[in-house]
Amino acid sequence: DYAERYPDMVVPFIREENLGPTRNLVDLCQRATSPYIALCEGDDYWVDPLKLQKQVDYMEAHPKLKASSTRTRVQMSENSHLTSWYKRQPDGEYYFPDSQPGYRGQRLFKPADILQHVLCHTSSLFYRWNYDVDIPEWYYRGHIGDWSLLLMQTGHTRVGYIPEVTSVYRVNESSTHFDADRTTHFLRTWPAQISALVGFRDYAAEHFKKSYPLGAVQAKIELETANYLTAALKIGDLQVVSEFMATFPEAARIGLSAYLSSYWDRRRLVRELTWRGYVKAIRQPRNLAKIGRFTRHLLKNQDRRSRVKRKLGNFKRFVIYWLYSLTSKKPNLWVFTSFQTRGYLDNSRHLFEYVCEHHPEIDAVWLTKDDDTVDKLRSSGYRAHLAESREAGRVMKRASLAFTDHFRQSDYAGVAGFNHGLKTVQLWHGVGIKYMGDLRNTAVSGVRRSADILPCSSDGLFTKLTRRVRYLRYARSRELMEEYFGFVEPGPQTKWTADDWKVPPQNRIPAGYPRSAPLYGSSVDNVEPRVLYAPTYRWDKAAEIELVRKLSSAIPLIDQRMTSVNGRMTVRLHPHTWRDYGALLSPVLRQASRVELDESPDISDSLGSYSVVITDYSSIAFDFLLLDRPCVFFCYDLAEYERKEVSLAYDYNEYSPGTKAHTWEETLDAVAAYLVDPSRDQEWRQRILPTFWDPRFTGPDSAERIVVFLKERLGIQDGTAEGSHDR
């Protein structure tokens, strides 16, 4: 009715469904066309008829500011539990920002002020609206988004303050937002606030300059997490704590890290002062200065000792790297490890086991930082040592080859006895559409091309000498891809990578991956078909959490659809992911009879038992391609993945041979269609296969091809080689 009467003033947006407060707010603001936007929501109201005019005049006079606020009166009952939070003013009232703890009378609010004390109330905010701000998805998951929206809109700039009351914040404790007591209200609403803080920390790190106060964001996360957990423990609600840790693992990690840091600081002070001295010091404020001086002295000395210790350690490793390289090597002594010297999986694992079982002339040793892996392998009759032990140092000193399926610098740089004479064999960990040659995709230190330290034939005498000196200094901390003794090259895609990494042609091994061997001869259960969901690793934390949330909300639907096709789905998140999502997924998985979580580190042994694979950008799709079985590509975030994660070497839509789905409903429809007709897209799969696998040497004998190639290069004959010793 108002829109009909005042069409130039009122624009209605009739929602077909509830968008939620934050998404609704942003949607409305983004539809505006004005240079300024003012907010007044819920039960709040304005009390100054000149409010907007005053703020327009203020913003016009301060063109560099992106937002301004005014004083806001807080209206609430005297028995409200929030009265213990605000400071009553001399006139008996409560105001923003005057009644907020931390307000010091400033007229310009820095980002750190807003983060620490929330000095601006939403009803007073007046924006010079930036329509180009990219609002992240985490923002919409919270029910309160005023402060994070303000920080995203203002960035590095400050918020101006007009010390005149123009609005009222009405605390209506009968509304859906408030609870009867402060603790209950806090425990219900604050997890979303903490999650938003974590999201904003990542947003600020990506979008704002280095000078942005990220330390204040981190400190706020630590404080609010500690407050939340303290409140929960105070009332003995451990279920709340458990749910918080499962739902917001990153916030919980930050809070617990801060607590443990504080705990060990206290232990250190008690050790130095004795318990009685520590208690006396904290009870008498004048002694706090002594603690401060003592702590600074302690940390300064500790830092100095750490620097000296670090330099001595680096020097020791430098000497070992070059001294051990002079030791004669045993051609038949080979060492193996996998991801960051902790995993027992992938191509390294499969080749290691193959060598142990089929080539007794080779002395194969597995190195790891995991005690359980050592015990497990030794109980199976294999040789294994802890990577930092003396035994590992002795083996590394005499070994001729070191096998990795990630990078030498991630897998061997911290291993005892790591030396220049130990030649690297790069097995790698898969083929796919991701561009492997872009070394910016890895955070492993030292993984870069080494043309700056490797002499070339066109160099003059001085340049050659300079590069040799630089090589002596930097070789230990470089990947040295140009000097790989062996690089497994199963097809055209890896040939492209080897060219890019400058791997010498004579050092490239024409063979498939050892981990593919279990695929050949595998079969599927046609009565109760199995489906695998295996998404790839995400560097972007928010993207990974979003993936898991989509999965969690879809599990009831997945269970229903698996029942309809008499199938089962196995969910396997990437083994290298830095989060443990089992606690988050377990409650909903317990309600599903046909969906299970596989947390084993290596999928190779069971991959051949699946009828259909669901993935996004993982190399597992192209391992599965060897079986000529269908794959569904669940690629809802393709554009974001390419923009934030890695570049793709091939056109995704053409070189991912299977149905592209953007929702779980579409994905499950495609799975059902493939189960009815597995031959769908078979021609497409067979056309794409030669791009990634050369059929001349990709097969069940790949491990043998690798061993034969290396033995020929090392001059090892069949039978027991000279210099080998008992296992």
Side-chain angles (χ1 to χ4, degrees):
D1 179 51
Y2 272 95
E4 291 177 358
R5 282 191 279 167
Y6 307 103
D8 296 333
M9 294 177 59
V10 179
V11 181
F13 292 92
I14 310 302
R15 306 296 194 190
E16 294 183 1
E17 61 181 32
N18 193 337
L19 299 182
T22 49
R23 197 175 295 275
N24 182 64
L25 170 65
V26 171
D27 180 72
L28 291 175
C29 290
Q30 293 297 83
R31 292 172 183 267
T33 58
S34 58
Y36 297 116
I37 287 181
L39 303 179
C40 187
E41 55 187 25
D43 296 330
D44 308 331
Y45 57 97
W46 294 339
V47 294
D48 186 344
L50 297 178
K51 174 190 185 294
L52 297 179
Q53 187 63 56
K54 289 177 180 178
Q55 289 186 282
V56 167
D57 294 343
Y58 182 88
M59 296 297 285
E60 293 294 317
H62 300 82
K64 292 186 178 181
L65 295 182
K66 295 182 180 179
S68 66
S69 65
T70 67
R71 180 175 281 130
T72 300
R73 181 165 59 87
V74 182
Q75 178 182 323
M76 60 183 169
S77 64
E78 284 299 319
N79 59 356
S80 169
H81 62 81
L82 294 178
T83 56
S84 62
W85 171 254
Y86 297 113
K87 295 187 297 183
R88 190 186 296 271
Q89 297 305 295
D91 62 358
E93 299 284 356
Y94 301 93
Y95 298 99
F96 270 87
D98 311 69
S99 297
Q100 288 284 88
Y103 178 60
R104 298 293 182 267
Q106 61 267 43
R107 296 292 180 90
L108 289 172
F109 302 144
K110 298 180 293 186
D113 296 329
I114 299 168
L115 275 163
Q116 293 168 359
H117 307 298
V118 193
L119 300 176
C120 312
H121 190 261
T122 306
S123 64
S124 76
L125 288 175
F126 190 87
Y127 287 96
R128 192 190 311 275
W129 193 260
N130 181 357
Y131 291 91
D132 295 327
V133 168
D134 181 22
I135 305 298
E137 190 61 32
W138 57 259
Y139 173 81
Y140 299 117
R141 290 197 291 268
H143 60 282
I144 302 174
D146 43 8
W147 65 266
S148 50
L149 181 64
L150 175 62
L151 290 168
M152 285 188 282
Q153 278 285 331
T154 55
H156 276 277
T157 64
R158 302 185 182 192
V159 176
Y161 171 58
I162 303 173
E164 300 178 29
V165 177
T166 69
S167 67
V168 172
Y169 166 39
R170 181 159 47 186
V171 180
N172 181 3
E173 294 185 359
S174 64
S175 71
T176 58
H177 176 62
F178 288 99
D179 295 283
D181 64 272
R182 183 178 175 184
T183 300
T184 304
H185 174 74
F186 182 73
L187 291 176
R188 182 177 65 84
T189 61
W190 228 240
Q193 292 283 60
I194 297 171
S195 178
L197 279 165
V198 175
F200 179 74
R201 179 196 61 178
D202 299 337
Y203 180 92
E206 179 181 353
H207 291 84
F208 300 150
K209 298 176 183 176
K210 292 182 178 179
S211 59
Y212 197 82
L214 292 175
V217 187
Q218 184 76 6
K220 184 70 171 177
I221 297 171
E222 294 174 356
L223 172 64
E224 299 302 346
T225 305
N227 286 340
Y228 179 80
L229 295 175
T230 300
L233 293 173
K234 185 177 180 180
I235 63 173
D237 194 343
L238 297 181
Q239 181 64 29
V240 170
V241 177
S242 176
E243 291 174 358
F244 174 74
M245 291 184 173
T247 309
F248 304 107
E250 175 64 2
R253 183 192 67 80
I254 292 171
L256 290 174
S257 297
Y259 168 79
L260 292 173
S261 175
S262 174
Y263 171 77
W264 289 113
D265 287 344
R266 190 190 70 182
R267 286 287 299 270
R268 187 182 301 154
L269 286 170
V270 170
R271 195 163 52 243
E272 296 293 336
L273 300 176
T274 73
W275 177 253
R276 180 175 296 179
Y278 169 75
V279 173
K280 182 179 178 181
I282 63 175
R283 285 181 177 177
Q284 298 180 16
R286 66 176 181 272
N287 289 328
L288 293 178
K290 295 181 181 179
I291 291 181
R293 288 195 297 272
F294 169 76
T295 303
R296 286 193 296 271
H297 173 73
L298 188 68
L299 293 177
K300 184 177 180 181
N301 288 341
Q302 182 183 4
D303 187 51
R304 185 184 298 115
R305 289 194 298 269
S306 297
R307 288 199 303 270
V308 172
K309 185 177 180 180
R310 187 167 57 251
K311 288 182 178 180
L312 288 175
N314 286 336
F315 179 72
K316 177 182 176 181
R317 286 186 286 271
F318 175 84
V319 171
I320 288 176
Y321 181 78
W322 288 108
L323 186 62
Y324 279 17
S325 68
L326 302 176
T327 305
S328 61
K329 308 299 181 185
K330 292 184 176 181
N332 66 314
L333 180 56
W334 297 357
V335 293
F336 297 76
T337 193
S338 191
F339 190 73
Q340 295 182 348
T341 328
R342 293 191 180 277
Y344 183 64
L345 68 160
D346 227 302
N347 286 313
S348 288
R349 170 213 156 189
H350 286 275
L351 184 61
F352 170 71
E353 293 180 353
Y354 180 84
V355 169
C356 290
E357 293 167 10
H358 297 89
H359 287 274
E361 73 279 10
I362 303 299
D363 190 7
V365 183
W366 189 273
L367 302 178
T368 178
K369 294 179 181 177
D370 182 63
D371 296 85
D372 292 339
T373 300
V374 171
D375 294 340
K376 176 183 175 181
L377 291 177
R378 287 178 177 175
S379 65
S380 300
Y382 300 142
R383 286 192 68 194
H385 297 304
L386 286 174
E388 298 170 351
S389 65
R390 291 183 179 180
E391 293 86 351
R394 285 194 288 266
V395 169
M396 292 282 283
K397 183 178 181 179
R398 302 300 304 275
S400 60
L401 298 182
F403 292 80
T404 177
D405 50 26
H406 192 242
F407 284 114
R408 184 185 77 152
Q409 284 299 312
S410 65
D411 291 358
Y412 286 100
V415 175
F418 176 54
N419 67 89
H420 189 260
L422 188 60
K423 303 302 181 184
T424 303
V425 177
Q426 176 60 268
L427 303 175
W428 201 238
H429 51 268
V431 301
I433 61 172
K434 287 180 279 191
Y435 178 39
M436 292 161 51
D438 187 355
L439 298 177
R440 295 172 299 176
N441 292 339
T442 180
V444 178
S445 177
V447 177
R448 50 175 289 193
R449 297 173 185 84
S450 299
D452 60 320
I453 64 175
L454 292 170
C456 60
S457 57
S458 61
D459 290 340
L461 180 61
F462 178 76
T463 302
K464 285 184 178 180
L465 180 62
T466 301
R467 289 188 173 180
R468 289 188 184 280
V469 172
R470 289 175 59 83
Y471 185 85
L472 180 69
R473 179 179 177 184
Y474 294 113
R476 185 181 70 85
S477 57
R478 292 286 186 87
E479 182 67 17
L480 297 178
M481 299 171 291
E482 299 90 340
E483 297 185 347
Y484 281 162
F485 186 82
F487 178 88
V488 174
E489 192 177 272
Q493 192 233 18
T494 40
K495 180 182 185 303
W496 182 7
T497 302
D499 290 341
D500 206 18
W501 288 1
K502 308 299 182 186
V503 179
Q506 67 273 17
N507 295 358
R508 303 178 190 182
I509 308 173
Y513 289 140
R515 72 177 186 182
S516 300
L519 294 176
Y520 298 96
S522 62
S523 60
V524 298
D525 186 342
N526 293 318
V527 177
E528 189 181 53
R530 299 180 64 197
V531 179
L532 173 68
Y533 175 48
T536 194
Y537 179 81
R538 299 295 204 281
W539 282 100
D540 184 74
K541 292 175 284 189
E544 189 174 75
I545 292 174
E546 180 64 18
L547 181 147
V548 175
R549 291 191 184 283
K550 283 182 178 292
L551 169 63
S552 179
S553 62
I555 284 176
L557 174 64
I558 296 172
D559 191 55
Q560 176 188 346
R561 298 294 294 274
M562 287 297 102
T563 301
S564 68
V565 297
N566 193 37
R568 302 188 65 83
M569 180 179 289
T570 298
V571 174
R572 182 180 181 274
L573 301 178
H574 199 284
H576 298 166
T577 185
W578 63 277
R579 291 179 180 84
D580 177 12
Y581 291 111
L584 180 62
L585 293 172
S586 292
V588 65
L589 284 172
R590 281 196 291 268
Q591 307 301 317
S593 61
R594 291 182 174 268
V595 187
E596 60 188 11
L597 182 65
D598 178 8
E599 297 185 279
S600 61
D602 201 335
I603 194 66
S604 304
D605 293 329
S606 61
L607 184 59
S609 65
Y610 294 99
S611 299
V612 180
V613 162
I614 304 168
T615 187
D616 40 25
Y617 322 107
S618 172
S619 62
I620 203 168
F622 300 91
D623 288 349
F624 203 61
L625 195 61
L626 292 168
L627 294 171
D628 192 21
R629 295 182 197 164
C631 184
V632 180
F633 294 88
F634 184 21
C635 54
Y636 64 90
D637 63 342
L638 175 59
E640 284 294 292
Y641 184 79
E642 284 194 87
R643 185 172 70 86
K644 292 184 177 181
E645 299 276 349
V646 301
S647 54
L648 302 183
Y650 303 91
D651 179 79
Y652 184 80
N653 290 313
E654 180 181 353
Y655 284 88
S656 298
T659 300
K660 309 300 184 298
H662 301 88
T663 65
W664 268 108
E665 289 82 358
E666 293 177 1
T667 300
L668 295 169
D669 287 343
V671 168
Y674 279 132
L675 289 176
V676 171
D677 182 11
S679 65
R680 287 181 70 238
D681 298 322
Q682 184 177 53
E683 182 181 345
W684 189 0
R685 295 194 293 269
Q686 292 175 350
R687 175 166 49 85
I688 295 300
L689 180 67
T691 303
F692 302 96
W693 306 102
D694 191 324
R696 294 176 298 171
F697 42 76
T698 297
D701 62 341
S702 293
E704 180 65 19
R705 295 180 66 90
I706 294 171
V707 174
V708 170
F709 179 94
L710 296 172
K711 285 177 60 178
E712 289 178 355
R713 291 211 63 199
L714 292 169
I716 300 176
Q717 304 298 320
D718 289 336
T720 304
E722 183 181 355
S724 66
H725 51 80
D726 293 338
R727 307 182 79 79

